[in-house]
Amino acid sequence: LALTGAWVDREKGLVSTIVLEMGGSSSLCARLRTGEPVILMGPTGAPTEIPAGETVVLVGGGLGNAVLFSIGQAMRRAGNRVLYFAGYKHMVDRYKVAEIEAAADVIVWTCDEAPGFQPARAQDRAFVGNMVQAMQAYAQGELGEQAIAFSDCDRIIAIGSDRMMAAVAAARHSELAPYLSDH
């Protein structure tokens, strides 16, 4: 069963994963009990590069946020500024708000469903619409003062559905390009 890793607590020996219940094997995970042995294999792929002293834009769609809040926290510990676009299809889909807030200097809470989210922190913003529209609105100053200027972005890391990541990648070279510098 392919799982998404969310976080690790090395001191306590804990690993957190995300299981999408989409069939027989994944539904068995809901029946696991505390102390029951589990075997994990991996990870596969390459670790995320954590630079120092940069401005990083994180773009998370749905479950992608479970991976990004760990990355965001590591980015901040390394001295980076983090602008985080956390997107969800429905308002009831939002989770781990405190962890996402700990992972970002500024969050743009994005939801496809009106009325959208109400940010708890003064520097955070909210947007109703899709992720690319939210990024463009922030970059244009339509969401108010930018505590982190979109134009200061050194890198963008997007994790979510294939469709969302493709849209962000395409927008990077089209509608978002005027707001990004080549530094």
Side-chain angles (χ1 to χ4, degrees):
L1 180 64
L3 304 174
T4 299
W7 53 262
V8 173
D9 184 329
R10 293 174 197 243
E11 290 178 14
K12 294 180 181 177
L14 300 174
V15 176
S16 174
T17 64
I18 298 168
V19 179
L20 286 177
E21 291 190 53
M22 298 180 65
S25 297
S26 59
S27 64
L28 289 174
C29 293
R31 295 180 177 208
L32 289 170
R33 302 285 177 241
T34 302
E36 193 169 344
V38 175
I39 298 171
L40 299 175
M41 179 187 97
T44 58
T48 302
E49 178 185 345
I50 306 295
E54 291 189 2
T55 298
V56 180
V57 174
L58 301 181
V59 184
L63 291 176
N65 290 303
V67 177
L68 282 180
F69 69 69
S70 295
I71 292 170
Q73 290 171 8
M75 291 286 185
R76 292 185 77 201
R77 281 192 302 272
N80 297 293
R81 295 186 313 152
V82 177
L83 171 58
Y84 193 138
F85 290 84
Y88 303 89
K89 287 222 175 280
H90 305 285
M91 291 181 62
V92 298
D93 295 339
R94 187 168 73 156
Y95 58 92
K96 300 279 190 182
V97 172
E99 286 86 345
I100 293 172
E101 287 175 343
D105 297 288
V106 175
I107 303 167
V108 178
W109 295 104
T110 303
C111 190
D112 291 348
E113 181 178 78
F117 302 112
Q118 183 65 41
R121 304 183 312 176
Q123 72 270 28
D124 295 343
R125 303 289 179 257
F127 184 83
V128 175
N130 72 42
M131 194 62 78
V132 172
Q133 292 167 337
M135 295 171 75
Q136 190 170 17
Y138 182 89
Q140 292 173 338
E142 293 175 11
L143 303 184
E145 183 182 338
Q146 295 179 22
I148 296 178
F150 195 82
S151 60
D152 288 346
C153 169
D154 293 300
R155 67 180 67 215
I156 298 173
I157 299 173
I159 301 178
S161 69
D162 291 345
R163 196 167 157 193
M164 186 276 294
M165 291 189 299
V168 171
R172 160 68 185 94
H173 300 286
S174 57
E175 56 262 60
L176 297 177
Y179 309 103
L180 296 169
S181 67
D182 293 331
H183 63 276

